Amino acid sequence: MSAIDDVFRELRAGGRKAFMPFVTAGDPDLEFTALVLVELARRGANLCELGIPYSDPIADGPVIQASYTRALARRVKLAQIFEMVGRERARLPIPIVTMVSYAIALRHGPADYVREAKAAGIAGMIVPDLPADESEQLAGICRGEDFSLVQLVAPTTPRERALRIARTSSGFLYYVSVTGITGERAALPQDLLDNVRWLREQTELPICVGFGISRPEHVRALAPVADGLIVGSAIVRRVAEAATRPRGQVLREVGDYVAELVGALG
Amino acid sequence: MSSTTSHSSATTDVPDAAGRFGAFGGRYVPETLMRALDELVVAYDEAKKDERFAAELDELLRNYVGRPSPLYYAKRLSEQCGGAEIYLKREDLNHTGAHKINNTLGQALLTLRMGKRRVIAETGAGQHGVATATACARFGLTCVVYMGEEDIRRQKLNVFNMRILGAEVRPVTSGSRTLRDAINEAMRDWMASVETTHYILGSVVGPHPFPLIVRDFQSVIGRETVLQCRRQLGRLPNLVVACVGGGSNSAGMFYPFIEHEKVELLGVEAGGRSSQPGDHASPLSFGAPGVLHGSFSYVMQDEDGQTSDVHSISAGLDYPGVGPEHSFWKDSGRVRYTFARDDEALSAFDALARSEGILPALESAHAVAKAIEAARGRPRDEAIVVCLSGRGDKDAYEVARLRGEAIA
């Protein structure tokens, strides 16, 4: 059991849903990322996804790609990211989940990655390019460390396969709302609610929906069927403004935006 | 990943059902793409069992591509080297001027079998883009080609040709603006379009089953070469040489030779300016196993797993990764890999032009360079086959630019 399980148990007991923002580690720099994490928690986020910048993120749209490119241009390293989380741990009352490409975890050594992330106080990982079929070894390592390995289900996933994936996921199950890459969308797919509702009945695991969510009306529509909602690009875009505008102001705007979405969650 | 594995472990019975060539290969892609990959596995399995599929592809290869491509004895080049005889497998004489068409016609037929009407592709030098645009024009499929901005500059002629053929060429401005970024962008398109679109990957890279499918469609090169050597030389060659970027012409040339253990196989990567990181594109010579573009294989990465920038004079070899089967062949010792530097490739480009009246693609010139080197050190009764994977017309502007000559 990781800290993620505790959060969802508590939320479920209170009949509440999770809000999970995504931020890129090191954009515009790690000092600001630390401030953003603390602010997100203060404004009502229940967990936070921390994106580990990667040179070739094929699941990501232009906003997150560009943030990764900026962070890597400043030479942010995995060890520095873990250090930052470890340092801020005491001020961060919510679980942190890293979103990390398998290229990075593998080069680092999957067991070392999990051990070092856990030592920094990170509760789990999402590996967007490691489908359940290839994740057996990493899943074993994570189980041994009580570290969550969150699997993804996509709109293109056949239902039988979705059930298999749900059985291998821990912490929660990440439901990808759209067939496509990350990024804000005006409207979400018609059949999304039905698909999430169906999956919700098949597993005890909390189901969090992400990709394309950015507006209060998205949040209001999805809150009844999901256990949590993930918002990435809309936050990354706002955080990135800290490179050119007063940081205090940007931090406040990010916080206001998150508070608005948390409010819509009900 | 030891390099001490016994020679004989390189089998032709790969990949397995999970797409593994020994330790290499697999499928490291977002869940969104998994169903399409599974469907592609099924469609390809069915196509392989369908005699009509084979007959249709054979007919196209014969009458549309112009196969079999000749195996040509380069007499003057051989005499100038003063050693082994050099033979050229003339993929440059194919329709569209390179080996790439062998794969795109096969995958276009698969696209039709799967009931898809839209095709996307990535391209480096533009040869795969032109070959894809050609196949799409031939079958009336919609075609979008992703190409790095830097490569669009280097390969203007191919960009123009793709547009004439009805394809939309989308410039890629992210990252290094070369082949690697074009693959990223094509994958992102596919993430959103996967239900209606087939991705015609141009090399033996990417997630399973692409390395298998592309190798199989390109193996016509090696199969013909085996037959032509037996007919023209009365035996198999001593050495077969091919260039390796992603590695499709070399995989297609080598695969039918794998079981003929006495035939030496030599893959030539892009050695670029120097052996310093960033100056070359030789992952098999200088890289380490890692994940890139959906597959576990040798790759140029930093200590954090970030893909390194690479360099080659040739846009088609300017790629930090390599197909997983090459990694398998390398570690088993069945294929030896080396590299040719930019200047060696340019010298070979000139040497072949002047001795034989053949302008090779800069990619193929890397293989020619190492074949010349090998021929010099071998007796006259040995035979070397070089895969001349493409013709050099597309490179004329870039070669002129490098020499400071204005021809545009």
Side-chain angles (χ1 to χ4, degrees), chain A residues 39 59 71 81 92 100 104 113 140 147 176 180 186 190 203 228 243-244 254 257:
Chain A
E39 179 70 4
I81 297 170
L92 280 175
V100 60
I104 295 172
Y113 183 95
F147 194 77
V176 176
Q190 296 280 329
T203 173
T244 52
V254 171
Y257 174 66

Side-chain angles (χ1 to χ4, degrees), chain A residues 53-58 60 65 72 77-78 103-104 107 128-129 131 133-134 152 154 156-157 161 165 179-180, chain B residues 20 26-32 34-35 180 184 188 191-192 194-195 288-289 291 296 301-307:
Chain A
Y54 176 50
S55 54
D56 298 82
I58 58 174
D60 281 307
Q65 271 179 57
L72 290 174
K77 295 284 180 194
L78 186 61
I104 295 172
R107 173 49 58 106
D129 53 359
D133 322 62
E134 300 277 4
L152 299 97
T156 52
T157 308
R161 180 176 164 85
I165 293 172
T179 303
Chain B
R20 291 282 170 182
R27 296 203 283 197
Y28 299 93
V29 292
E31 172 62 23
T32 303
M34 290 300 280
R35 190 172 80 189
R180 160 189 154 205
N184 288 339
R188 287 177 191 129
M191 286 281 288
V194 63
E195 284 153 311
V291 164
F296 178 64
Q301 284 182 336
D302 72 7
E303 72 286 357
D304 254 6
Q306 310 292 350
T307 313

Side-chain angles (χ1 to χ4, degrees), chain A residues 5-91:
Chain A
D5 303 298
D6 300 334
V7 164
F8 281 106
R9 198 180 314 107
E10 217 171 283
L11 286 170
R12 274 187 173 176
R16 290 160 53 229
K17 304 300 168 87
F19 183 76
M20 195 182 325
F22 169 101
V23 288
T24 294
D27 180 35
D29 52 48
L30 281 172
E31 292 70 45
F32 195 66
T33 305
L35 293 176
V36 172
L37 289 175
V38 172
E39 179 70 4
L40 292 171
R42 200 176 70 82
R43 294 295 199 111
N46 306 96
L47 309 88
C48 188
E49 260 183 59
L50 186 61
I52 308 296
Y54 176 50
S55 54
D56 298 82
I58 58 174
D60 281 307
V63 170
I64 293 176
Q65 271 179 57
S67 76
Y68 281 180
T69 303
R70 285 190 299 268
L72 290 174
R74 296 179 58 101
R75 308 197 175 281
V76 65
K77 295 284 180 194
L78 186 61
Q80 299 168 328
I81 297 170
F82 286 167
E83 257 170 50
M84 180 273 287
V85 176
R87 209 167 44 237
E88 300 298 325
R89 198 57 223 145
R91 294 202 292 159

Side-chain angles (χ1 to χ4, degrees), chain B residues 80-293:
Chain B
Q80 282 171 17
C81 295
E85 293 184 339
I86 298 174
Y87 290 80
L88 307 175
K89 177 60 174 168
R90 298 291 306 274
E91 292 299 300
D92 61 315
L93 293 178
N94 292 342
H95 180 43
T96 71
H99 68 291
K100 294 292 189 185
I101 191 86
N102 303 328
N103 169 47
T104 60
L105 287 173
Q107 288 206 49
L109 289 178
L110 285 178
T111 307
L112 295 173
R113 281 183 84 96
M114 291 186 290
K116 294 180 172 179
R117 302 296 305 176
R118 179 176 180 266
V119 160
I120 53 172
E122 84 295 339
T123 197
Q127 292 303 100
H128 175 60
V130 167
T132 305
T134 299
C136 289
R138 170 66 181 72
F139 292 106
L141 299 165
T142 304
C143 180
V144 173
V145 179
Y146 289 92
M147 187 168 186
E149 244 185 5
E150 168 65 10
D151 291 336
I152 287 178
R153 181 193 67 71
R154 288 194 278 194
Q155 305 287 348
K156 287 189 192 114
L157 182 64
N158 277 339
V159 175
F160 184 67
N161 289 344
M162 282 185 266
R163 289 182 175 141
I164 291 177
L165 290 161
E168 180 193 341
V169 180
R170 291 193 186 160
V172 176
T173 55
S174 56
S176 57
R177 305 174 184 207
T178 60
L179 178 55
R180 160 189 154 205
D181 307 284
I183 295 179
N184 288 339
E185 229 28 65
M187 290 268 191
R188 287 177 191 129
D189 180 312
W190 209 31
M191 286 281 288
S193 64
V194 63
E195 284 153 311
T196 58
T197 298
H198 177 56
Y199 179 13
I200 299 191
L201 235 170
S203 195
V204 288
V205 302
H208 178 64
F210 284 111
L212 162 72
I213 290 177
V214 179
R215 176 202 73 195
D216 284 357
F217 285 142
Q218 292 295 0
S219 290
V220 66
I221 304 172
R223 284 198 307 273
E224 285 176 8
T225 305
V226 167
L227 292 174
Q228 289 166 322
C229 285
R230 288 202 163 119
R231 201 175 311 134
Q232 294 173 229
L233 285 71
R235 63 185 176 87
L236 293 181
N238 301 83
L239 172 68
V240 177
V241 187
C243 67
V244 184
S248 71
N249 88 84
S250 44
M253 175 57 109
F254 292 163
Y255 183 67
F257 281 100
I258 293 293
E259 61 182 5
H260 302 289
E261 291 201 14
K262 285 189 182 146
V263 179
E264 292 174 58
L265 304 173
L266 179 65
V268 185
E269 297 190 293
R273 291 179 290 252
S274 82
S275 302
Q276 295 300 310
D279 271 3
H280 62 80
S282 308
L284 289 165
S285 302
F286 300 106
V291 164
L292 175 65
H293 292 148

